[in-house]
Amino acid sequence: MDTREIRPGFYDKSKRSIKIPVGELRVGMYVSKLDRDWLETPFLLQGFLLESQDDVDTVAEYCQHVWIDAVQPEWVPPDEHGVMEPKTRKKTTYINKVSARDEHDQALGVFREARRLTKTIIDDIRLGGTLNTEEAKSTVKSCVDSILRNPDALLWMTKIRNQDNYTAEHCLNVCILAIAFGRHLGFSEAELEKLGLCGLLHDVGKMRVPPEVLNKPGPLDKKEWNQMRAHVIHGRNLLLSSPGITHAAVDVAYSHHERMDGQGYPRKLPASGISEFSRIIALVDAYDAMTAKRCYAPAIPTTQALKIIYKDRGTHFDERLALAFIKSVGLYPPGSLVELKNGLVGLVLEGNKQYRHLPKVILLAQGDEPLEREKIVDLAQVEAGKLDKSYLIRDTLPDGTHGIFVRDYREKGLVFKS
């Protein structure tokens, strides 16, 4: 058969697989086999559709001959490949099954066990072991169950930080944030479990990065930066070799540093080539990283992180998803450390759906000086004229500012809720 007669997107179903030189490849063909090992190439899946001339050129860089299938799976046009809301998707509407207070104790147990399992998974990989797929899926399932009951209880626990276990805690936080965001977007329960697994495993490749590079407190030189960027390749390869892992998790591990403007890494994918799950994890990954203290950078307040996401919408991040994420997080999520215009400092206890800028706050300090008595203030009283405007929030602060840590108040039994 003359393969040059094949129209893009259509195949002669009387044939199975045909070996051809790469010079005869055309957009629309389905590559099923290479003349070299898949893991020696940047290709994500063992078998893929050529959706653009860039795909054809990339294959030509690595191979001399390939095998194409004469039977084509359903073809999605390149301009629709990255569409966010397929017409076939039905949004799921959720309601909170319990209050945040009622979910709190159960969520704390979920969080502690998930944190333990995540650390075990990460440590096993660091020591050269294999990924425990069942433990990973079990961790995600417990988080999904809690978030479906009420997302607020588990969400604020992502603010409990321990820099010594940054990578493991970051992976778990991205998992929780992604599930909660997916719930906000109306994903089905099955989609939430898949998305949560993508979040949990997105950075597993960092366990193959030399520790002295991963934990370096200062700027990375060119060689070190290349080693760090290689974590997406390590993650892809590790997950490809792990039985029972969905292709979506492989894709996210490989693609969560791609950008909408095509300037990401490792492949500089155009926006149309970046999956929805990769776009979501890119958002929550950046948000959690920016709001955490890392070995090379201090934490920034949540409002500042959201401003950066807003500024970078459409270039770094998907614009529609960025705006939806900002809305889902809110101005002052429970557990946020805030400073009022009068200099008082406190933790946000409870959101206000009517006046989002006026939450309930437990006042703890005046600058660096702890108050003699902690006091709960409903800032909505400013709107009612019962508090003066000096009680408006001036700014959010990183966890640990003025010596105030969320974890300390959790240990005292404090409950945050929306």
Side-chain angles (χ1 to χ4, degrees), residues 226-245:
N226 287 334
Q227 289 176 304
M228 181 65 79
R229 283 161 57 111
H231 81 272
V232 297
I233 308 294
H234 297 313
R236 179 201 67 168
N237 294 346
L238 194 153
L239 295 181
L240 274 175
S241 64
S242 302
I245 289 295

Side-chain angles (χ1 to χ4, degrees), residues 103-113 154 157 160 410:
E103 176 61 21
H104 196 271
D105 287 343
Q106 192 165 352
L108 180 61
V110 167
F111 182 75
R112 284 174 171 166
E113 180 63 8
L154 197 57
M157 292 179 192
I160 300 175
R410 171 59 198 95

Side-chain angles (χ1 to χ4, degrees), residues 285-341:
D285 174 40
Y287 173 77
D288 186 70
M290 287 188 287
T291 55
K293 181 181 179 182
R294 293 163 285 174
C295 60
Y296 56 89
I300 65 174
T302 56
T303 48
Q304 188 177 338
L306 294 177
K307 286 177 182 176
I308 291 172
I309 289 173
Y310 182 80
K311 177 178 67 71
D312 290 343
R313 73 195 191 286
T315 53
H316 190 158
F317 306 111
D318 177 272
E319 181 163 10
R320 183 189 68 86
L321 288 172
L323 295 175
F325 181 72
I326 292 168
K327 183 178 179 181
S328 72
V329 171
L331 281 175
Y332 308 115
S336 299
L337 186 61
V338 295
E339 181 183 15
L340 308 187
K341 288 186 174 182

Side-chain angles (χ1 to χ4, degrees), residues 212-214 216 218-226 228:
E212 62 273 17
V213 174
L214 188 63
K216 184 177 179 179
L220 302 179
D221 61 30
K222 184 176 180 180
K223 179 182 178 181
E224 292 167 336
W225 178 234
N226 287 334
M228 181 65 79

Side-chain angles (χ1 to χ4, degrees), residues 36-56:
R36 61 190 299 176
D37 192 299
W38 288 94
L39 296 180
E40 297 174 2
T41 72
F43 307 125
L44 176 63
L45 303 177
Q46 298 187 20
F48 56 91
L49 191 70
L50 297 173
E51 296 187 344
S52 68
Q53 187 58 43
D54 285 344
D55 291 345
V56 175

